[in-house]
Amino acid sequence: MKKREKLKNVQLLILSTLIALIICFPIFYILYISIEPPSKVFSYPPQFSLSELTFNNFVEVFNLTPFLRFIVNSLIVAIISCLLQVIFACTAAFAFTFYNYKVKDILFLIVLATIMIPAQTIFIGNYLIIRSLGFLNTYIALILPNAVSAFGIFFIRQYFKTIPVEFFEAAKIEGCSNINYLVKILIPLSKPAIGSFLIYSFINIWNQYMWPLLVTDKDEVRTVQLGISMLQAAEQQNFGLIAAGVIIVILPTFLIFLLGHNQLVKGLMAGALKG
Amino acid sequence: MEYVYEQKITTVKKRKKPPKEILEFIILVLPTFLLITLFTFFPFFKTLYTSFWATDFSGNPKRFVGITYYVELLNSQDFINSFIVTLKYVGFNTIFSIIGGLILALIVDNSKIFAKLFNVLYTFPISLSSASCAIVWGILLNPSVSIINYLIERMGLGKIEWLTDPKLALLSIVLINCWQNIPFNFIFLLAGLQNIPYELYEVSNIDGANFLYKVWKIILPLLTPTLFFVLVINIIDSFQQFTIVHILTSGGPVNSTKLLVYSIYQDAFFNFKFGRACAESIVLFVILFILTVFQFKVVEKKVFYQ
């Protein structure tokens, strides 16, 4: 019986390793292409050797294209949008949890109703509005439509609800104002939830493709996702360069993935509830 | 009598709430409401409104046409094609990525060695954006350097035109998306599996049931709520695919990968038929709305309050 158990474990291990190799292969292959000397990219059948590796493609990406600009743009957009999402999620969730107005339930329902309207169904309306406000090709166009996340409000509210109301009452008796309570006590207590949400929302905004495509057509404001697709369109046969671009673009999200795997998974699972 | 009296007290108390607090409440929720009004509700009504108008090249409404565009869509070969392509995409994508996710989840759930490591390795593709995923696969499937084609040729099969054969292009898009979607489903299904009480596994082990029988008779029925939930979010998600098609095929060859969202994009920004594009958007909205309501009402209850 024990022998059979052991055999089963070894079989499973081999199977798991094979599948893991298949899943991870595309990325390792792209990484390899990005550091392979250009003369070898077109060799068919493909040759693999670890001598003569070069980082030239990474240098070239920055020299030939405004990639640095794209990265800076993406960072500006993602960081500001993320912070706004967290701030507004905390303030709205606080209002929906600790104030006793009947109207707050209706307001909360209105927020949740936005989940029923996916961005992919209103992008033309959104584009027309942004254009009529004169925001095309500005950071505003990239940030403001991302500044509120209904899921974020929902998620943070759920967490606030787990914190005993007695804390709030005690703080009030001590003369602590509501806003002070939110900033000094509630937010520090909610760090795990805010962390998960922050990671989730940063990755979402960093990875956005369609919206930046619609509202920008100048390199000064374009984001990295557009940057790599432009690179792919312009340098069709220069695979090393494209591969280097891809590696640069996935680096931040990959680091987050490695360092905050648990939180990312938590955020994803909660995020999927929004549909 | 007493009851009425008490009620009076509470209402008086409520009225006495300091105006400062009401102001505070308004300040706390105001930014959120301004932003969702301006960037969700207003665009929604703008889209709905524009769908009833013939517009000029830049999308300004010029002439009221009522439901003309909706009727036109029903008779448009192009739209019907997009709709069928989208349904195929949604179907294949959902089935493949759920089965794939389930297999991975079963493996990790049964693994005793390195389960944690595999858990991380299997979810690796979720750290990529759709755009980089599309480009990575664009290189992997590229006719001139494709390493995958090389391997397939070595196995004695012919060259496969992944993205340029009208019969294969949609399937290729499905496979590319599955690479990202399977890990996503894996996360949910593994969580679902780990919620199944251990005793049930034990019982079936004693009975000497084989693995597949166990999966079919015990695991799947217990996993149904999670599977159902994953099914609905996969369908909703698949209907919204745009990036991979935009980067790799632009809807071609011969419109075989022209998904709904891509068709909306093309009608608005290349054919300048904003009214028609808005009508298509509303059709997509209605489909997604029904699915989302379904998800909220039925699925969520089943999964979390069973």
Side-chain angles (χ1 to χ4, degrees):
Chain A
M1 193 68 187
K2 236 189 168 175
K3 223 177 177 179
R4 228 183 76 190
E5 193 65 3
K6 236 183 189 168
L7 184 73
K8 197 191 119 200
N9 282 342
V10 172
Q11 281 172 337
L12 262 177
L13 185 66
I14 295 170
L15 184 66
S16 315
T17 315
L18 266 176
I19 293 179
L21 281 176
I22 294 173
I23 290 178
C24 299
F25 168 76
I27 283 307
F28 287 117
Y29 183 66
I30 291 303
L31 185 65
Y32 175 73
I33 287 190
S34 73
I35 51 178
E36 182 185 35
S39 56
K40 279 205 176 151
V41 173
F42 286 101
S43 57
Y44 197 87
Q47 298 171 347
F48 291 97
S49 77
L50 289 174
S51 57
E52 312 175 62
L53 294 182
T54 161
F55 286 96
N56 204 21
N57 285 322
F58 289 87
V59 181
E60 287 291 286
V61 164
F62 288 104
N63 283 342
L64 291 176
T65 67
F67 224 70
L68 195 63
R69 182 78 243 177
F70 297 150
I71 294 175
V72 172
N73 289 340
S74 271
L75 282 175
I76 291 174
V77 170
I79 291 173
I80 296 179
S81 310
C82 245
L83 288 180
L84 288 176
Q85 280 191 3
V86 169
I87 292 169
F88 295 149
C90 287
T91 53
F94 181 64
F96 290 144
T97 322
F98 291 94
Y99 287 75
N100 292 315
Y101 302 112
K102 271 193 183 142
V103 69
K104 80 177 184 183
D105 292 331
I106 299 163
L107 293 179
F108 185 57
L109 274 182
I110 294 175
V111 170
L112 284 188
T114 62
I115 292 174
M116 305 277 188
I117 311 177
Q120 254 78 340
T121 64
I122 54 167
F123 67 89
I124 299 176
N126 227 336
Y127 167 83
L128 293 173
I129 288 165
I130 288 285
R131 197 187 58 191
S132 62
L133 292 171
F135 288 157
L136 286 187
N137 281 317
T138 62
Y139 289 131
I140 296 175
L142 296 169
I143 293 171
L144 278 192
N146 282 322
V148 167
S149 154
F151 155 66
I153 295 172
F154 179 76
F155 186 60
I156 303 285
R157 176 177 169 269
Q158 293 297 92
Y159 200 86
F160 280 179
K161 278 184 154 181
T162 64
I163 290 162
V165 194
E166 285 77 25
F167 284 22
F168 184 54
E169 282 157 2
K172 274 197 128 174
I173 291 166
E174 294 286 318
C176 175
S177 76
N178 289 350
I179 306 295
N180 249 335
Y181 177 71
L182 170 67
V183 176
K184 297 218 170 109
I185 299 171
L186 208 51
I187 290 180
L189 279 177
S190 310
K191 264 186 198 151
I194 293 174
S196 275
F197 175 61
L198 209 59
I199 285 179
Y200 170 80
S201 96
F202 180 87
I203 292 187
N204 259 352
I205 298 166
W206 179 268
N207 287 349
Q208 254 181 10
Y209 181 77
M210 191 187 196
W211 182 244
L213 175 78
L214 298 178
V215 295
T216 62
D217 55 20
K218 292 206 174 77
D219 286 350
E220 293 84 65
V221 282
R222 294 208 123 170
T223 56
V224 277
Q225 306 298 334
L226 298 175
I228 46 168
S229 94
M230 283 159 67
L231 193 66
Q232 191 241 15
E235 305 278 340
Q236 299 233 339
Q237 297 303 316
N238 200 342
F239 296 104
L241 204 66
I242 301 171
V246 170
I247 297 292
I248 296 168
V249 167
I250 64 177
L251 211 59
T253 45
F254 179 63
L255 285 179
I256 293 175
F257 172 82
L258 281 186
L259 299 174
H261 187 259
N262 279 336
Q263 271 162 315
L264 174 61
V265 167
K266 255 184 229 154
L268 269 179
M269 289 190 68
L273 304 185
K274 84 191 168 94
Chain B
M1 274 302 273
E2 254 181 34
Y3 174 68
V4 174
Y5 175 72
E6 260 185 28
Q7 274 232 318
K8 254 186 190 162
I9 284 186
T10 53
T11 45
V12 168
K13 253 189 185 167
K14 258 190 185 157
R15 278 210 195 106
K16 262 191 179 170
K17 229 168 214 166
K20 199 190 128 215
E21 220 180 272
I22 297 174
L23 194 69
E24 237 173 52
F25 180 79
I26 293 173
I27 292 171
L28 286 171
V29 297
L30 194 63
T32 297
F33 278 87
L34 278 179
L35 287 164
I36 62 174
T37 307
L38 195 54
F39 297 114
T40 305
F41 293 119
F42 194 34
F44 174 71
F45 288 113
K46 180 93 184 163
T47 308
L48 186 63
Y49 176 82
T50 312
S51 73
F52 298 121
W53 289 75
T55 65
D56 61 11
F57 279 154
S58 46
N60 304 309
K62 285 291 172 214
R63 188 166 47 84
F64 183 76
V65 294
I67 58 164
T68 311
Y69 286 125
Y70 292 91
V71 177
E72 192 188 298
L73 288 183
L74 284 179
N75 299 313
S76 156
Q77 209 49 53
D78 221 28
F79 178 74
I80 292 169
N81 169 60
S82 275
F83 200 79
I84 292 171
V85 167
T86 308
L87 287 183
K88 274 191 207 161
Y89 175 81
V90 171
F92 284 133
N93 196 32
T94 307
I95 291 169
F96 290 161
S97 51
I98 289 182
I99 292 177
L102 186 62
I103 292 172
L104 295 193
L106 283 171
I107 290 175
V108 170
D109 194 42
N110 280 289
S111 290
K112 300 215 166 51
I113 318 165
F114 299 133
K116 261 233 156 81
L117 175 70
F118 288 121
N119 198 345
V120 174
L121 287 177
Y122 287 174
T123 50
F124 188 40
I126 59 170
S127 63
L128 269 74
S129 63
S130 307
S132 28
C133 175
I135 292 168
V136 164
W137 282 91
I139 296 177
L140 284 169
L141 300 179
N142 185 289
S144 53
V145 292
S146 171
I147 184 160
I148 291 181
N149 269 356
Y150 171 73
L151 294 175
I152 288 174
E153 271 175 56
R154 280 291 296 270
M155 288 192 294
L157 298 161
K159 203 166 194 170
I160 297 177
E161 309 263 334
W162 295 99
L163 291 163
T164 41
D165 181 346
K167 283 195 195 112
L168 274 180
L170 186 68
L171 208 59
S172 305
I173 301 282
V174 168
L175 291 178
I176 293 168
N177 190 63
C178 277
W179 182 63
Q180 261 197 318
N181 222 11
I182 286 174
F184 186 78
N185 290 341
F186 158 74
I187 293 172
F188 282 91
L189 293 170
L190 183 64
L193 281 179
Q194 287 172 344
N195 276 338
I196 295 177
Y198 191 69
E199 295 80 49
L200 287 168
Y201 280 111
E202 291 285 272
V203 169
S204 60
N205 274 341
I206 293 165
D207 286 350
N210 79 18
F211 185 69
L212 282 180
Y213 181 85
K214 204 164 83 181
V215 169
W216 190 247
K217 284 284 174 189
I218 298 169
I219 297 177
L220 282 188
L222 285 166
L223 202 60
T224 309
T226 315
L227 276 171
F228 212 48
F229 172 73
V230 170
L231 179 75
V232 180
I233 56 171
N234 272 276
I235 295 176
I236 293 177
D237 207 55
S238 308
F239 265 108
Q240 300 180 52
Q241 176 61 258
F242 170 80
T243 309
I244 300 179
V245 170
H246 182 258
I247 291 178
L248 289 180
T249 63
S250 307
V254 244
N255 289 343
S256 63
T257 59
K258 199 169 164 191
L259 298 176
L260 263 180
V261 179
Y262 191 79
S263 156
I264 297 172
Y265 166 79
Q266 232 182 10
D267 272 340
F269 296 100
F270 287 92
N271 305 332
F272 305 110
K273 292 182 189 158
F274 282 87
R276 181 186 154 113
C278 286
E280 286 178 84
S281 301
I282 296 300
V283 171
L284 180 64
F285 165 76
V286 171
I287 296 170
L288 292 177
F289 182 79
I290 294 169
L291 285 166
T292 315
V293 170
F294 183 70
Q295 177 196 352
F296 276 20
K297 289 259 167 197
V298 186
V299 183
E300 224 154 275
K301 243 182 217 157
K302 270 195 172 163
V303 178
F304 297 103
Y305 310 111
Q306 55 181 331

